[in-house]
Amino acid sequence: GVSYAIRAVLVPAETLLTVQTRMVYRNASPDTLRELYVHLYWNIFAPQSYARQLSRERRLERIPELPPVRIDSFVVIASTGERRTDFSVDNTIVRLPVPKPLAPGDSLVVLSSIAQKVPPEGLRMGRFEEDYFIANWFPSVCVYDRYGWHTEQYLGTGEFFEEIADFEVELTLPGTYCVVHTGVLLNPDEVFPDEVRQALQRARTQTQPVRIADFSARPLSDTALKTWRFRAERVRTVAWAAVRRYLWDAQQWDGILVHVLYPKRLESFYRDEGLRAAVHAVRYFSEHFGRYPYSDLVVIVGGTTGGMEYPGIVFIGRGL
């Protein structure tokens, strides 16, 4: 089993995201482990990344170039208290030697501190102007199974193979932003005005669409920081978006609240057809393939030129 406690700070003026993570990893395999491997996905944007070489050879989508992820520290702590701080980086994979062999059923803690520039929009997430659509953003442990460690490099194509985990996240950024995310918000009283909380409550108790908020004329002078706290259980990852002048509608179906957020220029589509399509998808797949497992689904415009799904949140290409 795996659990993460993550504290992150987004500094829009520097397009910089700093991330501190405490990961607890329990060896659920029958093997004794002598090392751990973690993903550092945003190293795909480094100048010499393997993905960049592949992109040139196959003439694939151009990959923005950013400095490598700045690693301030990795600390691996055994259950006995012994520590190791050495590590090695191979592009998007980090190898962490353990202080002592990790026996089946035993646990250890990994502390990490990194900082990374947010890439421009593309490759399933990123920044568009001053709005942010963030995924694959923290050091996450690779899967270990009967085939051993899965240490395949992230090349910008294909899907993700990750451990199911529990997450506690604290995200700090300027108060001009509205944040939507995987999981359940723990402190709505601290981050939402009364009218937004009341609208969300109404939306959960009726089946008609509800306008949650219209931030399209929101002043952008609020530089006071807010911290959003949210929890997600038994998911493969956590993704989030931070937007400023968006509209936000929601509609409930069978206890599941479906949210749609979009720029005002797209209101003529998303307020009706966009919300209807999102609710229909939840209803159809729940009735025919298995009930949607979360209390909320967020569909938000932005993050990629196409689209990408993450637990509880979907980034949709803006189209216009």
Side-chain angles (χ1 to χ4, degrees), residues 8-71:
V9 178
L10 175 65
V11 184
E14 302 176 26
T15 64
L16 183 69
L17 183 66
T18 61
V19 183
Q20 294 181 321
T21 303
R22 182 182 190 272
M23 179 185 72
V24 179
Y25 180 84
R26 184 178 67 85
N27 182 7
S29 80
D31 305 323
T32 296
L33 305 179
R34 289 171 171 78
E35 56 195 1
L36 255 64
Y37 291 88
V38 300
H39 299 281
L40 208 60
Y41 287 114
W42 282 15
N43 262 348
I44 191 175
F45 303 107
Q48 303 302 321
S49 72
Y50 301 142
R52 191 176 307 284
Q53 178 181 345
L54 179 68
S55 177
R56 285 195 298 263
E57 291 174 355
R58 299 189 181 180
R59 298 182 180 179
L60 302 175
E61 180 179 356
R62 179 183 173 275
I63 299 174
E65 185 170 319
L66 295 171
V69 174
R70 190 187 82 208
I71 301 175

Side-chain angles (χ1 to χ4, degrees), residues 139-170:
S140 60
V141 68
C142 297
V143 173
Y144 183 89
D145 60 17
R146 59 181 177 173
Y147 302 106
W149 286 107
H150 289 262
T151 59
E152 294 81 8
Q153 295 285 338
Y154 177 44
L155 300 175
T157 59
E159 293 302 317
F160 299 93
F161 185 36
E162 293 174 300
E163 290 280 6
I164 300 300
D166 296 333
F167 294 84
E168 295 265 357
V169 180
E170 292 188 5

Side-chain angles (χ1 to χ4, degrees), residues 6 22 52 59 64 70 85 106 115 124 151 186 194 202 223 249 255-256 278 312:
I6 304 174
R22 182 182 190 272
R52 191 176 307 284
R59 298 182 180 179
R70 190 187 82 208
T85 59
D106 200 1
R124 308 180 180 193
T151 59
L186 302 179
D194 291 343
R202 286 199 310 275
T223 58
D249 300 322
I256 301 165

Side-chain angles (χ1 to χ4, degrees), residues 15 22 80 90 92 138 154 174 181 183 224 227 234 249 259 309:
T15 64
R22 182 182 190 272
T80 56
D90 181 11
T92 63
F138 58 91
Y154 177 44
H181 49 79
T227 297
R234 295 192 55 77
D249 300 322
H259 310 257
E309 67 284 353

Side-chain angles (χ1 to χ4, degrees), residues 9-12 130-131 171-179 190-193 196 215 218-228 242-245:
V9 178
L10 175 65
V11 184
E130 292 189 52
D131 293 322
L171 172 63
T172 300
L173 70 172
T176 48
Y177 285 91
C178 173
V179 175
E190 297 176 11
V191 295
F192 285 143
V196 170
F215 295 130
R218 187 179 197 171
L220 302 181
S221 57
D222 183 5
T223 58
L225 297 179
K226 286 184 180 178
T227 297
W228 301 69
V243 296
R244 301 164 304 153
R245 287 181 164 166

